[in-house]
Amino acid sequence: MVKNLFNSLVVGLGSIGNRHTKNLMSLGFKNISIFRTFKNKTKYPKINNIEIFSNFDKAINKKKYDLMILANPTSEHIKYAIKGAKKKINIYIEKPLSNTLKNTQILQRIEKKNKIKILIGCQLRYHAGLIYVKKVIEKKKLGKIYSVFCDVGEHLPLWHPKENFKKSYAAKKKLGGGVILTLIHEIDYLYWLFGKFKSVYAAGGSLTKLNINVEDTVLGNITTKENIPILLRMDYWRNPPSRQLNIVGEKGQLNWDYYSKKVTIIYNNGKKIVKKMPKNWNRNVMFIDIMRDFLSNIQKNKKVKIPLKDGIYTLKVALALKKSLTKSKKILI
């Protein structure tokens, strides 16, 4: 990778835009530009000759970019992605792809026509623990899968303590918020591990004292095409946070715990296997790995691991869960 010849445009400079900018710098990139509306007061990283734009059209027309990172509110992703795709820019889109399927097919057509690469930023697919879980499933070490419980919970007010959480995109319907879309990582990796889904049914809503106008608590029943029943629990309330996966199979069960950094397999015959990650492991490793891999895909013209079509599919599932929540009925995928 000839790093310094890559022109990069980061769209949005909240916490995730800030992270991506710093990561590009750590990977050796110098030609970085930023577009921000300045509604978010986050200070941008110090870097020599960095260009800051408050007008997107001016930013995108200033030079030819090789990479654009969309780290702006969910509801704005498709609009900016289409503009970038028309300019033949490779695009990294922070999850979720959008809060609506509108114009996603247009983006797909432009992607194909202009032969660019679009990656959806579901970096949990780059988590060493989940990569190990996928290998266990693919090698059928658990035998037939009987059931799955997937659990994620975080306390929204603690995400950015210096900011009013009620003004964040995660808490506002018009910006694409709500626990289903914001924590779509779980839907993505369940699809990655177990394949496509047949139906979903969800219960919950805005139930906690957070008092926001989007769902903060959801219990989702998902059935895969292979008839594996999955229970998905998501919320904005828990402190300390939780992110776990439990799989019950014919030969035993598997537990993955994000925060304890380990995978435990207990077989029916009593055999136990524990895979631990380094105690000093930092989540930013996933962001670095996914970006490094994407940049390699661009340079070598290889397929990306989390393509636009996957982002569209998981968005479709997330929107079905939201629909089920409001309609109180099963939704077929």
Side-chain angles (χ1 to χ4, degrees):
M1 179 66 65
V2 187
K3 301 169 184 175
N4 293 341
L5 297 182
F6 253 65
N7 288 321
S8 305
L9 176 63
V10 179
V11 177
L13 200 66
S15 63
I16 191 63
N18 193 312
R19 178 186 293 276
H20 284 305
T21 302
K22 288 180 178 179
N23 285 344
L24 286 176
M25 292 163 58
S26 73
L27 288 169
F29 288 81
K30 305 294 184 184
N31 304 320
I32 304 171
S33 299
I34 292 173
F35 162 68
R36 65 180 307 196
T37 61
F38 288 90
K39 291 179 182 178
N40 186 303
K41 303 302 181 182
T42 305
K43 293 182 179 180
Y44 58 85
K46 291 181 179 180
I47 180 173
N48 293 331
N49 302 317
I50 195 167
E51 292 185 271
I52 307 293
F53 296 91
S54 58
N55 181 289
F56 181 75
D57 290 333
K58 185 176 180 180
I60 204 170
N61 290 319
K62 180 68 181 291
K63 63 180 75 170
K64 176 173 172 49
Y65 294 100
D66 305 286
L67 170 68
M68 181 167 74
I69 298 175
L70 294 182
N72 51 346
T74 300
S75 59
E76 300 289 304
H77 286 175
I78 297 299
K79 177 175 72 175
Y80 286 98
I82 287 175
K83 288 185 177 183
K86 286 180 177 179
K87 290 280 189 178
K88 298 184 178 181
I89 305 172
N90 300 293
I91 309 170
Y92 180 111
I93 305 178
E94 263 303 320
K95 60 81 197 167
L97 173 61
S98 182
N99 61 332
T100 171
L101 290 169
K102 183 179 180 181
N103 294 330
T104 55
Q105 299 301 318
I106 293 175
L107 180 59
Q108 266 192 317
R109 287 196 293 270
I110 300 171
E111 175 193 34
K112 184 177 180 180
K113 177 184 176 183
N114 288 345
K115 297 179 180 180
I116 60 171
K117 299 192 184 300
I118 298 178
L119 178 82
I120 309 302
C122 288
Q123 74 277 353
L124 275 182
R125 291 201 197 184
Y126 285 75
H127 187 284
L130 281 180
I131 291 172
Y132 174 69
V133 171
K134 185 170 177 64
K135 289 179 180 177
V136 169
I137 294 171
E138 289 176 343
K139 292 180 180 179
K140 301 188 183 299
K141 290 188 175 182
L142 293 175
K144 183 179 179 181
I145 304 299
Y146 290 150
S147 67
V148 177
F149 175 56
C150 180
D151 187 34
V152 61
E154 298 186 31
H155 198 57
L156 184 59
L158 295 181
W159 283 10
H160 309 294
K162 295 181 180 180
E163 301 173 17
N164 183 347
F165 71 89
K166 292 189 178 183
K167 294 182 179 180
S168 71
Y169 80 92
K172 302 185 81 169
K173 184 177 181 180
K174 69 177 181 179
L175 295 181
V179 74
I180 292 173
L181 284 174
T182 305
L183 299 182
I184 201 171
H185 282 299
E186 269 56 33
I187 298 172
D188 175 75
Y189 84 65
L190 287 171
Y191 161 56
W192 180 54
L193 293 177
F194 303 106
K196 288 190 172 183
F197 308 134
K198 183 161 60 177
S199 65
V200 300
Y201 178 82
S206 181
L207 306 181
T208 73
K209 294 179 180 180
L210 294 176
N211 193 28
I212 53 180
N213 72 349
V214 288
E215 80 282 351
D216 59 31
T217 305
V218 170
L219 279 179
N221 284 293
I222 301 172
T223 303
T224 73
K225 293 283 188 180
E226 300 297 322
N227 290 316
I228 299 172
I230 300 173
L231 178 61
L232 170 62
R233 182 171 66 179
M234 318 170 84
D235 68 72
Y236 276 160
W237 186 251
R238 268 176 284 177
N239 183 27
S242 178
R243 176 165 261 155
Q244 300 180 64
L245 177 70
N246 175 266
I247 304 170
V248 175
E250 175 187 7
K251 299 178 181 179
Q253 65 171 303
L254 178 150
N255 288 286
W256 168 66
D257 191 311
Y258 176 89
Y259 289 101
S260 68
K261 303 177 183 178
K262 66 180 180 180
V263 177
T264 304
I265 303 175
I266 303 174
Y267 289 101
N268 296 340
N269 62 9
K271 181 181 178 181
K272 184 176 181 179
I273 297 174
V274 179
K275 294 286 186 180
K276 295 182 179 180
M277 296 178 66
K279 289 185 178 180
N280 62 351
W281 178 84
N282 185 290
R283 66 189 290 260
N284 196 54
V285 170
M286 296 184 293
F287 290 92
I288 291 287
D289 286 349
I290 191 174
M291 186 61 69
R292 185 185 285 117
D293 195 34
F294 184 42
L295 295 168
S296 177
N297 295 151
I298 293 170
Q299 186 188 38
K300 297 177 182 178
N301 195 27
K302 291 186 176 181
K303 291 183 178 180
V304 301
K305 291 182 181 177
I306 315 173
L308 177 58
K309 65 180 181 64
D310 281 15
I312 292 174
Y313 183 76
T314 54
L315 174 59
K316 182 180 178 182
V317 174
L319 294 176
L321 281 164
K322 277 183 171 280
K323 183 177 180 180
S324 176
L325 199 60
T326 57
K327 300 290 185 180
S328 297
K329 67 177 184 180
K330 180 189 292 186
I331 305 294
L332 299 179
I333 304 299

